[in-house]
């Protein structure tokens, strides 16, 4: 694509490995990896992709993405440049760029005594990824603090969308292809010492119930069905410790799949499918993945990544459950 080829390598890299940019540290390259320098450049890239029919994906810290070993066609856009990592605090309103690291943002807000995002303690990712996933847990979701979200639409136009318009639900919202460029949060001033105590309590809860933060994983693989715990359902199906090649189910939290260093995305994807099948056989519940699987092959078979695994045609390699 000639316009892309005229961009400097710092903005557009061809066949750029994505594995190191994800928490799983697995998977192949993107055809194009784009790091726009400004909102205007981002809009031009989006328009250019749309006009040429090139698929676009947005990548935050890759804390909820698995990339197929063979890589993916099209453009992956990462908002990691200075234009997208700004934080502005104005009284109880906080604006954060889409590329802002949520962990750092939450820690800063705790120090400032601004309450509303501390329940995201221990959830890695960017503001853009957090909004897209409506990340959260038993203490709350990001959506409750969101006031407005600035986006670039698939037409390359900039819009500001209100919280209601985004229709936040459990681990999703109606971005409809928009790229988040920043978000305004409305927070509540409270005593920083009290906020710090709350933050530490939530952080410790996560540390005590999940694999270590540095492990190669993406957090919970499956959505909790109808308020039930997917982890408990997987555990009840006898799958804790189940291994498939380089991937295995955590012994600590059965909704976490972990990978060995240097492992294969294929093993993780096959293990996800194996868990889905075994759980359905065991209790009739069809688990739905929360993780986003970026695979041209799966999308070709199924018409989209969301239900890629449920309609997948390939057979799965099985190995007996093994202690890890
Ligand atoms: C150890 C660990 C623990 C976790 N615990 C939790 C938890 O408790 N609760 C929870 O909800 N999640 C949890 N997660 C998952 C993950 O942290 C969240 O989903 C997080 O919001 C992902 O943010 P990200 O920036 O890494 O997004 P990515 O993983 O990079 O992307 C996730 C999705 O967001 C989209 N996206 C990213 N940036 C943008 C943008 N600018 N505009 C539009 N779309 C965008 C991507 O296209 C993709 O569809 C955990 C992950 C790990 C590794």
């Amino acid at each position: 694509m000639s316009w892309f080829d005229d961009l400097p390598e710092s903005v557009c890299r061809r066949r750029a490995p994505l594995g190191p940019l994800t928490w799983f540290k697995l998977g192949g390259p993107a055809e194009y990896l784009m790091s726009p320098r400004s909102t205007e450049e981002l809009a031009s890239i989006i328009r250019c992709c749309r006009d040429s029919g090139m698929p676009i994906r947005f990548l935050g810290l890759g804390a909820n993405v698995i990339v197929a070993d063979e890589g993916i066609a099209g453009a992956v856009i990462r908002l990691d440049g200075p234009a997208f990592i700004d934080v502005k605090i104005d009284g109880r309103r906080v604006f954060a760029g889409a590329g802002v690291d949520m962990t750092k943002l939450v820690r800063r807000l705790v120090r400032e005594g601004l309450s509303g995002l501390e329940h995201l303690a221990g959830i890695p990712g960017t503001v853009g990824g957090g909004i897209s996933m409506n990340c959260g847990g038993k203490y709350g979701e990001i959506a409750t603090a969101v006031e407005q979200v600035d986006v670039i639409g698939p037409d390359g136009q900039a819009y500001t969308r209100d919280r209601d318009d985004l229709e936040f639900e459990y681990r999703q919202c109606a971005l409809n292809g928009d790229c988040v460029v920043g978000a305004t949060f409305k927070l509540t001033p409270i005593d920083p010492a009290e906020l710090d105590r709350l933050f530490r309590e939530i952080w410790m809860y996560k540390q005590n119930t999940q694999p270590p933060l540095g492990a190669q994983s993406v957090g919970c693989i499956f959505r909790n069905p109808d308020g039930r715990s997917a982890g408990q359902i997987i555990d009840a199906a006898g799958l804790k410790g189940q291994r498939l090649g380089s991937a295995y189910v955590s012994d600590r939290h059965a909704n976490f799949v972990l990978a060995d260093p240097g492992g294969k995305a294929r093993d993780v994807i096959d293990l996800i499918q194996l868990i889905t099948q075994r759980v359905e056989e065991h209790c009739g519940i069809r688990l739905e993945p929360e993780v986003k699987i970026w695979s041209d092959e799966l999308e070709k078979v199924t018409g989209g990544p969301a239900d890629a695994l449920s309609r997948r045609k390939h057979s799965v390699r099985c190995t007996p459950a093994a202690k890890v």
Side-chain angles (χ1 to χ4, degrees):
M1 181 173 292
S2 61
W3 187 78
F4 277 14
D5 294 336
D6 291 341
L7 290 167
E9 213 196 322
S10 57
V11 176
C12 175
R13 282 198 294 146
R14 284 193 114 171
R15 303 279 306 158
L18 291 178
L21 304 180
T22 69
W23 271 63
F24 249 128
K25 311 240 177 300
L26 307 173
E31 186 179 356
Y32 292 96
L33 177 63
M34 320 288 302
S35 291
R37 290 164 289 189
S38 64
T39 310
E40 294 71 30
E41 194 165 57
L42 168 65
S44 301
I45 290 169
I46 290 174
R47 260 194 299 270
C48 181
C49 289
R50 184 202 57 185
D51 292 348
S52 59
M54 176 178 280
I56 311 181
R57 292 177 170 88
F58 306 112
L59 182 66
L61 287 190
N64 203 41
V65 168
I66 301 173
V67 181
D69 295 311
E70 58 278 12
I72 44 167
V76 170
I77 301 180
R78 207 163 169 253
L79 304 184
D80 56 343
F84 304 101
I85 56 169
D86 204 20
V87 175
K88 285 194 197 86
I89 301 182
D90 180 10
R92 55 189 298 197
R93 285 200 167 72
V94 173
F95 170 85
V100 168
D101 182 323
M102 278 193 307
T103 303
K104 291 184 185 154
L105 177 66
V106 169
R107 283 182 190 276
R108 177 165 170 194
L109 296 174
V110 168
R111 281 197 305 274
E112 302 272 347
L114 286 169
S115 167
L117 290 178
E118 63 283 358
H119 48 264
L120 307 183
I123 303 181
T126 58
V127 165
I131 298 278
S132 161
M133 294 303 303
N134 187 17
C135 67
K138 79 172 210 169
Y139 293 93
E141 303 171 329
I142 197 170
T144 48
V146 170
E147 187 171 56
Q148 289 183 326
V149 176
D150 297 333
V151 301
I152 300 285
D155 56 359
Q157 297 296 315
Y159 302 93
T160 297
R161 298 183 59 184
D162 291 336
R163 182 177 62 184
D164 289 350
D165 174 46
L166 284 164
E167 297 172 21
F168 283 104
E169 288 179 30
Y170 169 60
R171 300 298 160 269
Q172 63 186 43
C173 73
L175 273 176
N176 303 334
D178 288 355
C179 177
V180 176
V181 292
T184 304
F185 301 100
K186 196 170 165 193
L187 304 173
T188 308
I190 70 167
D191 172 25
E194 170 60 16
L195 191 52
D196 187 57
R197 193 199 55 73
L198 195 56
F199 170 79
R200 283 170 195 276
E201 183 188 312
I202 297 168
W203 178 270
M204 284 315 294
Y205 169 79
K206 296 210 69 139
Q207 300 310 299
N208 292 334
T209 53
Q210 296 182 359
L213 252 186
Q216 287 183 227
S217 84
V218 283
C220 289
I221 290 283
F222 295 99
R223 295 161 65 87
N224 290 324
D226 294 330
R228 294 185 61 190
S229 157
Q232 283 172 10
I233 293 170
I234 297 166
D235 191 6
L239 291 165
K240 258 193 181 168
Q242 173 74 46
R243 181 175 273 275
L244 201 161
S246 56
Y248 57 96
V249 178
S250 164
D251 253 349
R252 192 150 201 207
H253 189 317
N255 202 6
F256 275 60
V257 165
L258 306 175
D260 294 332
K264 293 268 170 246
R266 173 112 251 156
D267 292 338
V268 175
I269 295 168
D270 283 351
L271 182 55
I272 293 172
Q273 192 187 22
L274 175 67
I275 297 167
T276 310
Q277 286 174 354
R278 291 269 180 87
V279 165
E280 194 166 19
E281 283 159 17
H282 180 258
C283 63
I285 294 173
R286 183 94 189 157
L287 292 176
E288 296 294 334
E290 179 176 317
V291 61
K292 304 291 178 191
I293 298 173
W294 289 2
S295 158
D296 294 338
E297 182 203 331
L298 289 179
E299 287 166 39
K300 226 179 285 158
V301 173
T302 64
D307 60 352
L309 292 162
S310 52
R311 286 192 270 146
R312 189 172 167 200
K313 304 236 179 353
H314 305 285
S315 62
V316 154
R317 292 169 291 134
C318 299
T319 51
K323 270 263 178 234
V324 288

